[in-house]
Amino acid sequence: MNKTFLIGNLTRDPELTQTPNGVSVCKMSIAVNRNFTNANGERDTDFFNVVAWRGLADNCGKFLSKGKKIAVCGSIQNRSYETENGKKFVTEIMADEIEFLSLVSEGEQQSKGNGQGGRKPNLQPLGDDFDCPF
């Protein structure tokens, strides 16, 4: 089974392009903090390249930007390619699902649109008395 779940912040703006066949592909990088501290008492960070395809890619390119927090569910893929300097190896997270975890500010809603036909999203913070059904 090849399944990974990551939560992190985008390290740069997503790069939305299309294949020669017109299929959307969005490449991005996320920084994920480790759950433990190193010998100096500091928390280390890992960086992962994430690739999204088709409609998911379009949404990422439209609504995400550097610094936004996302949750990624997908699989790890290794590939290689030849260059003038030899063979290069790449490890990427192929996204099946991406959840946008950062709240959208008023300025972003107006400049990028919110994907809801002009309506504001109904985002309510959860209080301490939130009843979880499970």
Side-chain angles (χ1 to χ4, degrees), residues 49-112:
N49 293 319
V50 178
V51 180
W53 292 89
R54 298 176 178 74
L56 182 58
D58 292 331
N59 286 335
C60 289
K62 184 175 182 182
F63 296 111
L64 294 177
S65 59
K66 179 180 178 179
K68 296 293 182 184
K69 184 177 287 285
I70 62 171
V72 178
C73 174
S75 59
I76 300 171
Q77 177 178 294
N78 293 310
R79 63 182 175 87
S80 63
Y81 59 94
E82 292 290 335
T83 68
E84 294 175 357
N85 299 328
K87 198 171 201 176
K88 298 289 182 180
F89 294 90
V90 179
T91 300
E92 299 168 316
I93 308 301
M94 304 306 289
D96 296 324
E97 301 174 56
I98 295 179
E99 291 285 330
F100 303 168
L101 301 178
S102 295
L103 293 176
V104 178
S105 69
E106 280 291 324
E108 288 176 319
Q109 286 179 11
Q110 291 172 359
S111 67
K112 288 191 172 188

Side-chain angles (χ1 to χ4, degrees), residues 36-53:
F36 54 88
T37 57
N38 61 23
N40 297 328
E42 300 166 343
R43 200 172 285 265
D44 288 330
T45 302
D46 293 304
F47 298 88
F48 298 94
N49 293 319
V50 178
V51 180
W53 292 89

Side-chain angles (χ1 to χ4, degrees), residues 3 6 10 22 25-26 30 46-47 51 55 60 80 95 106 116 118:
K3 198 66 145 173
L6 299 169
L10 292 171
V25 59
C26 188
I30 62 170
D46 293 304
F47 298 88
V51 180
C60 289
S80 63
E106 280 291 324
Q116 297 187 14

